[in-house]
Amino acid sequence: MFAKRNKIQPLVEPSTLKPAKQGGAVDHVAAATAMLVAGLGFTQLFAPLLVNPMTGFESGLAAQIIALQWIVFGGLLFFGGLFRIRVLTIFAAEFLMLAGLTGVAATMLHQGEMIPLLIHGGIAITGLVNSGLARLTDKAELKRELHFAKANAAEARKKQEIRDDGEETRRF
């Protein structure tokens, strides 16, 4: 029933091992940049006179709406980066990029000052960089897991063939 084994067996079966989760730096970058964007959003919402020269917005409903977008997408990006939820990170980063590009367009149409353009462009670039890094890391991790699953499947097939050969010889 049991085959004799001459080597020391591992404590954990190889098929139950899982690859280590990597890409922590990407998640930390996403969380750190999200805190900056959300902080700017909170400042724009609760103390707009401090950041009006930087954002180019006047105190009003539109500035509050964009500040809430920064807060929501910054918060989602923060939690996605903190808990390594790459789908959430990608989602929040892309919408943060859209909000930043919208701010750039609105600033260019309204006044065209350089500092607000840099702030909104920086938010858009933050979203673009975070989205791109999260996508690359997610793709690499998926390839690694797929390779690991193929190796486990090949090993399981090999074990099954050995068992099948042993059963056939015992029958005869």
Side-chain angles (χ1 to χ4, degrees):
M1 186 167 169
F2 295 103
K4 292 183 180 178
R5 297 180 181 176
N6 295 333
K7 59 183 178 180
I8 297 174
Q9 297 297 315
L11 296 175
V12 179
E13 286 289 322
S15 61
T16 60
L17 294 175
K18 294 184 179 176
K21 192 141 182 148
Q22 295 182 355
V26 171
D27 299 320
H28 293 314
V29 167
T33 57
M35 288 191 322
L36 295 174
V37 171
L40 182 63
F42 277 119
T43 307
Q44 176 67 36
L45 190 63
F46 295 116
L49 295 178
L50 292 176
V51 292
N52 281 348
M54 287 190 331
T55 60
F57 293 139
E58 299 166 1
S59 298
L61 185 61
Q64 291 176 353
I65 290 171
I66 291 183
L68 284 174
Q69 286 180 348
W70 290 344
I71 292 168
V72 168
F73 297 134
L76 288 175
L77 186 63
F78 176 74
F79 284 114
L82 186 67
F83 296 114
R84 293 185 171 188
I85 306 170
R86 299 263 161 70
V87 175
L88 184 62
T89 301
I90 292 168
F91 171 80
E94 288 182 354
F95 274 99
L96 197 59
M97 180 178 60
L98 289 173
L101 290 174
T102 304
V104 167
T107 304
M108 285 177 65
L109 290 175
H110 181 65
Q111 57 199 5
E113 292 178 12
M114 194 57 150
I115 292 176
L117 285 175
L118 289 175
I119 295 293
H120 295 293
I123 289 172
I125 288 173
T126 297
L128 178 68
V129 168
N130 282 324
S131 176
L133 289 175
R135 283 182 187 275
L136 287 174
T137 306
D138 193 41
K139 185 177 179 182
E141 193 172 283
L142 184 62
K143 282 184 180 179
R144 191 178 308 112
E145 287 176 1
L146 183 62
H147 177 70
F148 195 77
K150 283 182 181 179
N152 282 343
E155 186 178 322
R157 269 188 252 120
K158 194 181 293 183
K159 285 182 182 180
Q160 185 64 32
E161 288 174 3
I162 291 171
R163 279 191 225 133
D164 290 344
D165 290 341
E167 288 177 6
E168 289 178 10
T169 55
R170 278 191 240 138
R171 288 185 199 157
F172 295 112

